[in-house]
DNA sequence: CTGAAAGCGCTAACAA
DNA sequence: TTGTTAGCGCTTTCAG
């Protein structure tokens, strides 16, 4: 039995002849090792976990696709943990750890609490953050402050002064990009000498319909904005729906810029800030795999680039899409 | 140790007092059982696997979301197997089985070969098919022949006679819906006395750009079609892109109907046949869970409904979308 | 009702 | 180099 194990794992030296015999027997019996036993014995599960909020969110799905593409080429399997309900949010890390079911953890678009991180480290669980940041964990991120600035600045350069920001809730502790982009938005306004108007910053739960409602609210303002910076493309789509419903011409009467560059923003010709979602999944997963084999002395940070994709919701010179 | 196990699993009778003591100790030590050991001992992994082709395909993702929503409420974890590359297709089932890593298997939009099914049954692996059919396996499906018929018939009723079908490759053994919808398409044509024209049926790899190319090809025909039935909404989007590029007015000069009712088809106002993707994931997973606890005497078939969603790519009376 | 002990199938350390 | 053996941490059977 020991010898068989040696052959299977290419471990220590085995004579060529014995190896052949073992291999033959394996083929004959159609034998394959029991993973549960191997796991128990080795103390490794050969599974990595992806902790994901709102699996319905297209940008999260896109990142996950990047992750999957890397996992496929590795020895590991991928377990998906969806953190949709608020109740599960509290203890998701604890749950995953206690089950001792994964050798490494990828947290996507979820900022862990200090307590979470303490537990993670106590359990020596290799962890990589994608689209989230914590000083003690390796991460793959973009500069969201710069992104918010870039979007807002672009609108300002087009001549807009009344610029609204439609976003998720700023005080969500799990979602720091919302705040960062808001910071960038404020910076760009300040730099241009445009005072921040609280009524131009609307927050709501993430999604098309909430964004649409917020847009409706903005249009009812006595002094409605002439340009919208939406926290995500999903929300930009909601904005677009409302403008269509109300007959507001985009971009002639209202400019719109989103964030993420999800596929739908391409169909809809929405100007947006592209962050390489797929690449973030790839890099995050690669970083995790690497961290699992040789833990870096200190947390790594990978900064992915942002790019403004100019489409038809911001340029008054181009016709609206058909 | 035995007693602890009894407490944890609420198994046989344990005195209330002992139970309390054990529970207290557990809490104190922050103990939680090792899953790998439990698995080895019980011979169950408490994991179900989802075998998924082309994880990038929006309709597959949507189904998966339904699956995830059910898994979350169960005791099981979900492992994702992405079958993107052709090489992996051959042996995906064998791979999953040999690893003995899941207690049940969900195959989404993948038709297994007879050989696969034989292996599955030899391994006593509970399996449920979603959007695929095999006489010996339980499945959640729609009537794709009826769907193809419904779409084509609708175009015919609008007055069209030159109707093209843009689809994936008909001879893909893993993809039977392509053929079924084609059958429905032919039936509707025949019923209306419209001869089938081979040049109106184009096949290509799945995706927007291939569909766009096929559409270009159709427009170059001396006698181009006046209506398109696209196998999927993704392909319908490609068609729409080409019409926009060529300045062909939809629906005035060309009617278009898709299939699936993915979210993007709503943004783009594409008429489509809705199959409840999310619900199929839910039903499939529920059926699997049920099959795992008490295997049905014979394979079950769940038939989900189809519905024609009329939007702006087929009705000449409505304006095109903005 | 509870403690002891065997065994799940593998890996790894130890002899031979 | 290779056979043997002791765990890995749980569940479950068997005594007590």
């Amino acid at each position: 039995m020991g010898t068989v194990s040696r052959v299977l794992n290419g471990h220590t030296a085995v004579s060529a002849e014995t190896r052949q015999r073992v291999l033959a027997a394996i083929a004959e019996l159609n034998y394959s090792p029991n993973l549960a036993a191997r796991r128990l014995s080795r103390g490794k599960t050969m599974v990595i976990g992806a902790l994901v909020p709102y699996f319905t969110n297209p940008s999260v799905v896109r990142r996950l696709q990047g992750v999957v593409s890397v996992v496929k080429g590795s020895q590991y399997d991928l377990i998906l943990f969806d953190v949709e309900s608020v109740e599960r949010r509290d203890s998701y890390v604890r749950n995953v750890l206690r089950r001792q079911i994964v050798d490494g953890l990828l947290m996507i678009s979820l900022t862990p609490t200090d307590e979470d991180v303490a537990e993670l480290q106590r359990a020596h669980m290799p962890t990589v953050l994608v689209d989230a940041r914590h000083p003690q964990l390796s991460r793959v991120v973009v500069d969201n402050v710069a992104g918010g600035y870039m979007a807002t600045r672009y609108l300002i350069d087009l001549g807009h002064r009344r610029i609204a920001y439609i976003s998720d809730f700023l005080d969500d502790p799990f979602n720091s990009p919302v705040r960062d982009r808001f910071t960038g938005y404020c910076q760009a306004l300040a730099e241009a000498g445009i005072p921040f108007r609280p009524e131009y910053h609307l927050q709501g739960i993430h999604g098309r319909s909430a964004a649409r409602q917020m847009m409706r609210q903005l249009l009812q303002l006595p002094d409605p904005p002439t340009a919208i910076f939406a926290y995500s493309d999903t929300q930009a789509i909601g904005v677009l729906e409302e403008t269509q419903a109300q007959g507001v011409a985009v971009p002639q009467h209202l400019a719109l810029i989103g964030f993420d560059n999800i596929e739908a923003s391409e169909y809809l010709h929405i100007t947006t800030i592209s962050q390489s979602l797929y690449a973030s999944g790839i890099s995050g997963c690669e970083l995790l795999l690497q961290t699992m084999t040789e833990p870096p002395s200190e947390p790594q940070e990978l900064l992915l680039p942002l790019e403004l994709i100019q489409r038809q919701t911001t340029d008054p010179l181009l016709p609206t899409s058909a």
Side-chain angles (χ1 to χ4, degrees), chain A:
Chain A
M1 203 70 260
T3 308
V4 174
S5 176
R6 275 174 280 238
V7 170
L8 279 172
N9 301 302
H11 222 36
T12 37
V14 182
S15 83
E17 194 226 349
T18 319
R19 155 169 295 116
Q20 288 315 320
R21 262 187 321 127
V22 171
L23 256 27
I26 286 178
E28 170 126 16
L29 298 172
N30 201 0
Y31 163 87
S32 69
N34 176 316
L35 273 220
R38 174 175 282 180
R39 284 169 174 175
L40 178 58
S41 178
R42 287 217 272 231
K44 297 187 140 297
T45 65
M46 297 312 282
V47 170
I48 68 182
L51 213 49
V52 163
Y54 310 109
F55 179 45
T56 43
N57 182 329
S59 67
V60 169
V61 169
R62 190 70 189 138
R63 293 187 204 271
L64 209 49
Q65 287 167 352
V67 172
V68 167
S69 77
V70 173
V71 169
K72 274 188 347 191
S74 79
Q75 292 292 317
Y76 288 84
D77 284 311
L78 209 227
I79 275 193
L80 208 57
F81 300 104
D82 184 16
V83 190
E84 188 126 12
S85 61
V86 186
E87 314 88 73
R88 278 180 83 125
R89 272 198 160 181
D90 314 327
S91 55
Y92 51 92
V93 167
R94 210 174 345 266
N95 263 317
V96 170
L97 289 180
R98 100 146 3 119
R99 326 256 308 282
Q100 301 166 70
I101 210 182
V102 300
D103 292 339
L105 193 59
L106 221 39
M107 292 182 62
I108 301 183
S109 301
L110 266 181
T111 305
T113 62
D114 289 343
E115 208 177 302
D116 290 335
V117 175
E119 298 223 40
L120 249 11
Q121 300 198 322
R122 201 177 318 137
H124 301 289
M125 176 66 69
T127 307
V128 168
L129 266 31
V130 171
D131 186 40
R133 209 183 290 257
H134 189 285
Q136 292 170 64
L137 294 176
S138 289
R139 56 213 175 254
V140 176
V141 290
V142 296
D143 185 341
N144 281 295
V145 176
Y149 176 88
M150 196 187 288
T152 312
R153 176 60 193 270
Y154 178 66
L155 296 172
I156 292 171
D157 287 348
L158 285 175
H160 294 278
R161 309 275 302 173
R162 304 208 307 265
I163 303 171
Y165 177 44
I166 283 184
S167 78
D168 292 16
F169 292 110
L170 277 194
D171 59 6
D172 181 344
F174 294 91
N175 186 340
S176 59
V178 179
R179 285 186 294 284
D180 290 344
R181 291 178 203 163
F182 178 67
T183 303
Y185 163 78
C186 291
Q187 280 180 5
L189 290 184
E191 188 186 279
I194 303 173
F196 169 69
R197 296 169 61 161
E199 72 272 27
Y200 280 1
H201 176 222
L202 262 41
Q203 313 172 40
I205 57 168
H206 193 264
R208 267 192 302 150
S209 61
R212 190 170 168 174
Q213 295 240 358
M214 292 191 255
M215 186 60 210
R216 188 172 314 149
Q217 210 173 314
L218 286 174
L219 288 172
Q220 283 164 354
L221 249 32
D223 201 21
T226 63
I228 308 286
F229 167 34
Y231 169 69
S232 76
D233 285 343
T234 299
Q235 290 169 315
I237 292 171
V239 168
L240 210 52
E241 287 176 337
E242 185 61 18
T243 59
Q244 285 174 12
Q246 301 224 10
V248 174
V250 173
Q252 293 81 356
H253 294 140
L254 189 88
L256 171 64
I257 186 167
F259 208 106
D260 285 345
N261 195 28
I262 63 174
E263 219 177 351
S265 71
E266 187 186 340
Y267 313 149
L268 295 168
H269 312 288
I270 297 174
T271 295
T272 192
I273 305 288
S274 164
Q275 61 172 323
S276 3
L277 298 168
Y278 191 77
S280 77
I282 291 184
S283 302
C285 197
E286 285 175 348
L287 188 52
L288 178 62
L289 257 21
Q290 189 184 317
T291 302
M292 286 164 60
T293 53
E294 39 179 333
S297 51
E298 54 182 63
Q300 307 285 107
E301 171 165 314
L302 230 79
L303 194 68
L304 261 32
L306 292 173
E307 187 191 356
L308 196 146
I309 312 271
Q310 206 172 321
R311 297 211 183 91
Q312 301 177 15
T313 57
T314 45
D315 192 339
L317 302 176
L318 293 173
T320 341
S321 70

